[in-house]
Amino acid sequence: MDRKWRALIVVCVAIFMLLLDITVVNVALPDIQKELHTSFTELQWVVDAYALMLATCMLNAGTLGDLLGRKRVFVIGVGLFTLASAACGAATSPLFLDLARGAQGIGGAIMFAVSLAILSQEFHGRERGTAFGIWGATIGAAVAVGPLVGGALTEWAGWRWIFFVNLPIGAACIVGAWRELHESRDEEHGGFDTLGFAFLTSGLFAFVLALLRGNDWGWSSGKTLGLFAAAAAVLVAFGFVEARQEHPMLELGLFRKPAFAGAQIIAFSLSSSMFAQFLYLALYLQNVLGYSPLQAGLRFLPLSLLSFVAAPIAGRLSSIIPVRILFGVGMSLVGTALLLMHGVTATSSWTTLLAGFIVGGIGVGLVNAPLAATAVSVVEPRQAGMASGINNTFRQVGIATGIAGLGAILQSHGNFVDGFNAILLVGSAVSFAAALAGLALVRSSDLVRTQQPAAA
């Protein structure tokens, strides 16, 4: 086997490990809650700490690779992720676990941000398309098997092993990366946007914290309103700083293109409406219906496997059907799926969710495949890395704010089931609104310029 294919295996295994930790943790959360005696807010932070750091570090991590060397930065990212995984598994308190999950997110962002640049360096021509296809399939597979792997590890070995399993994999990836990857850098790339990173991270943290603690503190309390005001002020300052940076981490001018803005709305809405529900679906299946972690993971399979199957079909359809139609239909299916799940009770069978899982899986697959391609197809090739990073950032911010916002609504109800039914309706409304936004904003004329050469 040629060295470049061995390099592809190393990169894909590392990315699989990283993305598995986004979904694998959901079915373990009830066991984590029992053993560490976490509050509902602390449980939400187990997911949100990871998603927030993954989102805010993604945009700058690629720059580090350009400046310091992509191989070196990739190895550092894998090492940090592996050490943080060990800390997660050894956690003795909710705060310890949440901080370790944040460190995991930083390492994951570094790995993810430089992975495509590494593959672009290793592969050219038709082989590059093959390599990117395998990389994309790896992402889909990680999402598909995450709940099942998490359930199996939690039930048979304990929840700590959803993190400890990363140790041998991470060590193997470090050795493989050091042996098989070539070093590369871009000396002409702009420097690290320290001010932008600080403003974005602190602004999003304040906003999510206000959502998570609003019920406890009171929505009209000084703490809550102060955090919302601080978040708004810091995020406005972030926009002001980025607009005046010579090499910004987030190019605001890209949002003048309706198709690019529409892609970010779709990315945020899909994550905040459907993927953020996975936490509460896992809690419903285990804490209300009484299923074990493995049993709960198995019941997620219709959704995750159908999304995996539908994604390549959607990818082929995007060459003959306007992508805005795929977005409109896909997000409408997601909204319909959440409506189909609505109406569950404390004594419902899990099959009450089945129709929603099936329809939702198809909808997610229709949206996910063309989404990343749309985000990069309206920018100059030199901006493709930034555009992809922005799209992934909006996905993770959607998960973080979705979990916080939906959790606040759920907690405001008298019991879990009533609150769960309420957030299903909210998620459905968000999905239908995103479907309309996708239809209106993602115009074919914005994509023609970059699609024509590819078709030729």
Side-chain angles (χ1 to χ4, degrees), residues 140-186:
V143 174
V145 304
L148 183 60
V149 171
L153 286 172
T154 302
E155 188 162 334
W156 295 336
W159 66 266
R160 296 180 185 276
W161 279 94
I162 67 174
F163 303 113
F164 285 149
V165 74
N166 293 333
L167 303 186
I169 300 173
C173 286
I174 291 173
V175 174
W178 204 256
R179 291 181 54 185
E180 306 298 345
L181 300 186
H182 281 163
E183 188 60 279
S184 68
R185 55 174 52 86
D186 180 5

Side-chain angles (χ1 to χ4, degrees), residues 289-373:
L289 299 189
Y291 288 109
S292 69
L294 178 58
Q295 291 171 332
L298 285 169
R299 281 154 180 80
F300 274 102
L301 280 180
L303 192 157
S304 53
L305 289 180
L306 277 172
S307 69
F308 183 64
V309 171
I313 298 174
R316 289 192 290 271
L317 287 175
S318 64
S319 63
I320 57 177
I321 297 175
V323 72
R324 65 188 182 90
I325 302 298
L326 293 176
F327 287 159
V329 173
M331 290 305 299
S332 294
L333 288 176
V334 171
T336 301
L338 294 171
L339 283 179
L340 289 171
M341 295 181 203
H342 180 263
V344 295
T345 67
T347 57
S348 293
S349 167
W350 81 271
T351 53
T352 305
L353 301 170
L354 183 57
F357 281 174
I358 292 172
V359 175
I362 296 171
V364 168
L366 287 179
V367 172
N368 253 341
L371 182 55

Side-chain angles (χ1 to χ4, degrees), residues 21 64 74 86 113 381 428 431:
D21 264 46
L64 284 179
F74 182 81
S428 179
S431 299

Side-chain angles (χ1 to χ4, degrees), residues 63-81:
T63 299
L64 284 179
D66 293 337
L67 292 173
L68 305 178
R70 291 158 186 151
K71 172 182 174 178
R72 179 183 302 170
V73 169
F74 182 81
V75 170
I76 292 171
V78 177
L80 176 57
F81 185 90

Side-chain angles (χ1 to χ4, degrees), residues 59-60 63 189-197 238-254 382-383 385-387 390:
L59 295 174
N60 259 327
T63 299
H189 199 288
F192 190 87
D193 185 0
T194 306
L195 197 58
F197 170 75
F238 168 74
F240 182 83
V241 167
E242 294 303 286
R244 285 155 179 78
Q245 285 270 31
E246 184 179 355
H247 299 288
M249 60 186 278
L250 194 154
E251 178 59 68
L252 297 178
L254 295 176
R382 63 181 177 81
Q383 295 178 303
M386 177 183 287
I390 291 171

Side-chain angles (χ1 to χ4, degrees), residues 224-237:
T224 305
L225 295 178
L227 276 175
F228 278 131
V234 171
L235 291 175
V236 168

Side-chain angles (χ1 to χ4, degrees), residues 409-429:
I409 295 169
L410 188 149
Q411 283 186 292
S412 68
H413 287 71
N415 60 72
F416 183 92
V417 173
D418 289 344
F420 182 52
N421 279 308
I423 65 174
L424 288 171
L425 289 179
V426 172
S428 179

